[in-house]
Amino acid sequence: MILSLGLLLLCQLSGEAVARGLALPLPGPVIGMALLLALLLAREKFAAVLPREVGDGTLEKTSNGLLSHLSLMFIPAGVGVVQRLVLFISHGVALFLALLLSTALAMLASVAAFRFIARLMGERE
Amino acid sequence: MNQSDFALWVYLSRTPLLWLTVTIFAYVLADRVSARLHRNPLANPVLHAVWMIGLVLALTGTPYRAYFEGAQFVHFMLGPATVALAVPLYGHRRTVMRAIVPMAGALVVGAVVALVSALVIAKALGVPDDVLISLAPKSVTGGVAMGVAERAGGDPSLAGVLVMITGVIGSIIVTPLMNTTGVKDMRARGFAVGVAAHGIGTARAFQVDMVAGTFAGIGMGLNAMLTPILVPVFLPMLLG
């Protein structure tokens, strides 16, 4: 499990290095996600040289364990919002309405586009 | 409080241990309630843990910086957790590959609608231009949104606030919205909430369904790449 956590950190670290080094506009962890995906796709070929944890399901268990508590990790930043709510007061109602409506519209539009294209491609629901 | 209690409090409130523990238990409580209420959208664990902790900080007069000293250890895990999204992505790779074209369309449409509609509505309601700049990237994940707002001449901390509120709104409304409009495709539902409401929406999607969570993670990741490109294009058109 510790090795799996280490691997996640190593992917993130490499992602940060790539993002900084190449001045990419992408966040380091997103590049790290791509790196881990590449590792997973290649793991059968390199099973002999990779540590056992990569292939025996431990990496999956650790990752899914982290993801099942994704909400927890947003709490510290969320509490920061409470401290800065004053910023929000002057245009609070307008901003809240804009956020609410635009989030709903964006989700509906995105879903509509997804289903429209899937149907065009001959997928049946 | 007498003298020794006060000394103890001063000691504890300065160690990271106290606020880390408070954060974990506020989450455990909020998450238990959410599970007990069958993951009712209004029992959003982020929302309820945040106000409970905010209340404790306000009552004890603890500055956010002191709180974050402890809570940063949890905050830090966001990075590895984002990397970990590769695991469900890999597990569902065939489903994902088959949906790559619909996802591309849903990404562009969702990101543009999120950006343009927020600006148009806020502007119509009298929100000034300098606030609109910080509103523009509200659908992408925190760090990216703050960077985008800063580059566009906005206020990164306001952008951070708007991002968090967007995430909570998205994660609360997604299930009722999709159920009332009869959308059953978990790929489309997850992807949409990831695009519109980033990681907090993704956390919600994982509560509902693994496929939805996987697609939400992809939507979030892809929008973190697209919105930084869209903002400088659309912002000048919609301001002024």
Side-chain angles (χ1 to χ4, degrees), chain A residues 5 8-9 11-12 25-27 29-30 32-33 36-37 40-41 43-44 59-60 63-64 66-85 87-88 91 94-111 113-115 117-118 121 123, chain B residues 27 46 49-50 53 57 64 67-68 71 74 76-90 93 101-103 105-106 109-110 113-114 117-118 121-122 125-128 135 138 144 157 161-162 164-166 169-170 173-174 177-178 183 185 187-188 192-193 196 199-200 203 225:
Chain A
L5 257 181
L8 294 177
L9 289 172
C11 287
Q12 187 188 353
L26 293 179
V30 172
M33 173 181 21
L36 182 62
L37 182 64
L40 288 168
L41 288 168
R43 71 178 168 186
E44 267 158 44
L59 181 59
E60 274 88 343
S63 298
N64 289 330
L66 265 183
L67 288 175
S68 64
H69 295 293
L70 196 55
S71 298
L72 166 66
M73 298 157 208
F74 286 99
I75 293 170
V79 174
V81 171
V82 173
Q83 304 282 309
R84 290 180 191 146
L85 278 183
L87 275 173
F88 203 71
H91 298 284
L95 284 173
F96 181 77
L97 277 176
L99 292 179
L100 179 67
L101 293 174
S102 96
T103 305
L105 287 173
M107 289 197 292
L108 290 174
S110 171
V111 160
F114 190 106
R115 296 170 89 199
I117 297 170
M121 292 172 66
E123 211 180 275
Chain B
Y27 167 73
V46 181
V50 160
I53 297 169
L57 296 184
Y64 180 66
Y67 166 75
F68 198 78
V74 164
F76 177 80
M77 293 310 288
L78 268 178
T82 305
V83 174
L85 285 168
V87 166
L89 185 55
Y90 173 78
R93 61 193 179 283
V101 181
M103 278 198 291
V109 170
V113 171
S117 68
I121 294 166
L125 294 173
V127 174
L135 176 65
K138 51 88 185 161
V144 178
S157 69
V161 174
L162 295 168
M164 294 301 299
I165 297 173
T166 301
I169 290 176
I173 66 174
V174 59
L177 188 68
M178 295 302 160
V183 179
D185 188 337
R187 301 170 306 165
V193 79
I200 305 183
M225 305 178 199

Side-chain angles (χ1 to χ4, degrees), chain A residues 20-50:
Chain A
R20 294 277 155 146
L22 303 177
L24 297 178
L26 293 179
V30 172
I31 299 174
M33 173 181 21
L35 292 174
L36 182 62
L37 182 64
L39 176 76
L40 288 168
L41 288 168
R43 71 178 168 186
E44 267 158 44
K45 263 191 187 161
F46 299 99
V49 290
L50 287 171

